[in-house]
Amino acid sequence: DRMIEVAVGWLERNRSFEEVSKSLTWDLFESLIARILEAAGLYAKRNVTVIVGNRRAQLDIVALRDYTVYLLECKRWMRSLSGSLASSEAKKLRERVELFCQALLKLHGHGTIIHYVVPIIVSPYTSPTISDVFISPFRSLISLLSEHPVTLPTPPTTTLYLGRRLSPQLLRPKSIKARSQPTGGSVQ
């Protein structure tokens, strides 16, 4: 916690995020991103495991605000995330998004309550890009989060129609397990 407080202090004193991230381990990098999401008004949980049947996926950060779920992968690499590397990482996150959506549909069933699932890869050294997911440098992350999900391009934003509204209680345990048969639902 102390290291994260120091990193936040550096950022508040206008040190670049790239410079600050160099001094952090990958674990502290994820913690810093989660802390910044919470400061922006989101409920954030790190290292969430999603299990559907025999399939399992790990998400670095799952953040909730109103009817929007942000699935974030944090890549603290000291090189640019672009080209085939960006495509590969985007594909992996897209697969996790699909599993996450399946789990939510199995847990909450089909309904009329609209939720948006927004996949984001955060990396210090990258240009803002849209592919199967949003790829964002940290300096653009808060701006991306300030946009209403309806105004974001689809894909990558996924629209789910669930039977219940999502809440932070969903993320209290570090895993989301959906082992039962699907109760129906829809994804767009």
Side-chain angles (χ1 to χ4, degrees), residues 39 56 74 77 79 91 112 130 137 147 160 175-176:
R56 176 186 210 98
C74 302
W77 294 336
R79 60 184 169 143
K91 181 181 177 189
T112 58
I130 300 172
E147 295 291 326
L160 280 176
S175 63
I176 299 169

Side-chain angles (χ1 to χ4, degrees), residues 20-102:
V20 171
S21 68
K22 285 181 184 178
S23 64
L24 301 175
T25 64
W26 65 268
D27 189 45
L28 289 173
F29 179 77
E30 288 178 10
S31 294
L32 177 61
I33 299 295
R35 180 78 54 92
I36 290 167
L37 294 171
E38 290 170 348
L42 287 87
Y43 176 85
K45 184 76 168 188
R46 290 188 52 235
N47 300 319
V48 175
T49 302
V50 178
I51 302 168
V52 178
N54 293 331
R55 294 178 62 207
R56 176 186 210 98
Q58 180 78 27
L59 295 160
D60 289 345
I61 301 173
V62 176
L64 299 173
R65 178 173 47 204
D66 299 325
Y67 295 91
T68 306
V69 182
Y70 298 94
L71 304 180
L72 292 96
E73 284 298 309
C74 302
K75 301 299 178 193
R76 189 196 145 274
W77 294 336
M78 295 302 135
R79 60 184 169 143
S80 180
L81 181 62
S82 60
S84 63
L85 181 59
S87 295
S88 174
E89 291 301 318
K91 181 181 177 189
K92 290 176 193 174
L93 180 53
R94 198 68 184 138
E95 291 168 358
R96 292 178 186 130
V97 167
E98 290 171 14
L99 191 64
F100 184 83
C101 290
Q102 287 175 16

